[in-house]
Amino acid sequence: MLIGLHMAFVAMAEEALDAVDESTVPDVLSRFPRQEVGARGQVLNTLNLVLDDGKAVVRLRAHLDRIAHVFRNVLRRYDYPNAGPHTSQAWSSHTSTLRAIFAFAPNERRAFAEEVWKLVVELPEHGRRTIEDAKPRPFEVVLRDFPNTQPREPAGAVLQGLAFAYFRADSPTVTIDTGKVGAGSRRTGRIGDVDGWHGAELALSVEVKDSDLTDPSDPDLGNFIANLSEWPDAVAIVLARSATEAVVEGMRNQNVLVLDRAAMIDAVLRWDLSKQQLATREFLHFLVHVQQHGGLIGRFRTFLASEGIEL
């Protein structure tokens, strides 16, 4: 606290003396009377010095606030107490220091300020948050950078795995069920490619279309919506590479959301690290235990290693 108070006394001296074109005064409180009553008639406990014209006032609290901003926010010395009101009211216990600072010659005030500054920089400096210091957010990286299905891989496997992983992490209150791509939802007892269940009740159903959707009347979309007729309260989602506004609007009119990787990334940016790690592990689980395609599994493991992602 005294560090800031002494530095504020120096700043007050520089402001007041510069305003009256003087370099030193022997007794500051005689030369610059203290303002004791505020504009609303309240008694002031802080130190406000009234200059010669009776209108200009040099305020201790204003300097304390600026000094605290520099110490804490610029220099990141967070051990410096943010206690402006208390410090400004404690000034009267340090009038001898106040008088000495105003009585100093300019070079003496500078030397005094430099000694106080040394005490400031001796306080521990707290580090900045940087992207480089943070662990990679793995599922964000996977969504953004892991390439889609490649030749000789099951078409749509990557996108379906991402859907499974995303909702497995984001919907912990439901049981997520899926299967290999191309297995056929009806034949395996599912409504969509990825379903979420509350017991026996369908809570979530995702239809994965590894294509660019342009036709709101696409029969595959119609079949998905027909499958949902028995489950009016289930959240219905179509996940595609991309979709035109006509498709998005057409699905919205039937209470179906349309997502793509970009939309998932926008949500995943707000996930904490452990949730992103869970989703990445679930994507690997899908590849290994559901899709079971060696080439795709190997490609994903290579990707994880290249990105420095450990699960």
Side-chain angles (χ1 to χ4, degrees):
M1 181 182 77
L2 288 181
I3 294 174
L5 185 63
H6 289 169
M7 192 66 81
F9 283 167
V10 172
M12 291 184 74
E14 292 299 317
E15 181 184 358
L17 294 171
D18 181 69
V20 298
D21 197 23
E22 297 179 25
S23 61
T24 183
V25 295
D27 186 351
V28 55
L29 296 178
S30 296
R31 180 67 178 82
F32 303 117
R34 174 176 167 252
Q35 184 184 33
E36 298 182 359
V37 180
R40 297 188 298 275
Q42 75 276 23
V43 176
L44 298 179
N45 294 323
T46 186
L47 177 63
N48 293 346
L49 299 179
V50 181
L51 302 189
D52 290 345
D53 59 8
K55 297 178 181 179
V57 177
V58 177
R59 292 177 169 82
L60 173 63
R61 177 63 188 278
H63 285 292
L64 283 172
D65 289 346
R66 285 192 285 270
I67 287 166
H69 171 76
V70 172
F71 289 178
R72 291 177 58 83
N73 300 332
V74 178
L75 300 179
R76 304 192 305 281
R77 265 54 176 192
Y78 298 128
D79 289 350
Y80 176 78
N82 191 11
H86 174 74
T87 306
S88 65
Q89 294 176 25
W91 73 272
S92 59
S93 299
H94 305 277
T95 54
S96 60
T97 303
L98 175 70
R99 288 189 169 93
I101 289 171
F102 272 79
F104 282 157
N107 63 321
E108 293 174 317
R109 275 195 303 277
R110 180 182 178 85
F112 178 82
E114 288 175 349
E115 290 302 312
V116 175
W117 185 259
K118 290 179 183 178
L119 298 176
V120 175
V121 297
E122 286 175 0
L123 294 172
E125 179 181 2
H126 292 253
R128 294 183 184 273
R129 281 173 54 93
T130 66
I131 294 175
E132 291 75 15
D133 293 335
K135 293 180 180 179
R137 266 39 184 178
F139 199 55
E140 175 191 341
V141 174
V142 172
L143 283 170
R144 185 184 65 240
D145 296 332
F146 185 61
N148 204 12
T149 304
Q150 301 296 295
R152 293 189 293 277
E153 292 177 356
V158 169
L159 201 57
Q160 185 158 322
L162 292 174
F164 170 80
Y166 179 94
F167 289 103
R168 173 67 182 81
D170 200 47
S171 304
T173 61
V174 302
T175 301
I176 301 296
D177 179 37
T178 191
K180 292 184 178 182
V181 294
S185 301
R186 279 297 190 184
R187 288 188 284 109
T188 55
R190 296 194 313 275
I191 304 304
D193 294 308
V194 178
D195 289 335
W197 297 88
H198 279 151
E201 296 296 317
L202 184 69
L204 166 73
S205 190
V206 184
E207 184 73 0
V208 178
K209 296 298 180 187
D210 193 13
S211 59
D212 302 307
L213 301 181
T214 59
D215 182 7
S217 302
D218 187 322
D220 287 340
L221 297 179
N223 290 337
F224 172 58
I225 294 170
N227 290 345
L228 287 165
S229 60
E230 299 176 17
W231 310 100
D233 294 327
V235 176
I237 296 171
V238 171
L239 176 62
R241 288 186 193 175
S242 68
T244 63
E245 187 58 37
V247 172
V248 173
E249 183 64 24
M251 291 297 98
R252 184 186 296 119
N253 292 337
Q254 299 180 78
N255 199 23
V256 178
L257 300 174
V258 178
L259 298 180
D260 57 14
R261 281 202 190 195
M264 289 197 291
I265 290 172
D266 185 59
V268 167
L269 288 173
R270 294 182 283 275
W271 287 8
D272 60 47
L273 178 60
S274 61
K275 187 173 178 179
Q276 292 213 22
Q277 290 172 330
L278 170 61
T280 308
R281 290 194 299 270
E282 291 301 318
F283 183 60
L284 181 60
H285 170 88
F286 173 86
L287 298 182
V288 173
H289 296 288
V290 180
Q291 194 61 51
Q292 299 178 336
H293 187 276
L296 183 50
I297 295 168
R299 183 163 71 88
F300 184 58
R301 290 191 187 279
T302 300
F303 173 83
L304 292 178
S306 69
E307 295 291 337
I309 297 172
E310 298 181 1
L311 301 181

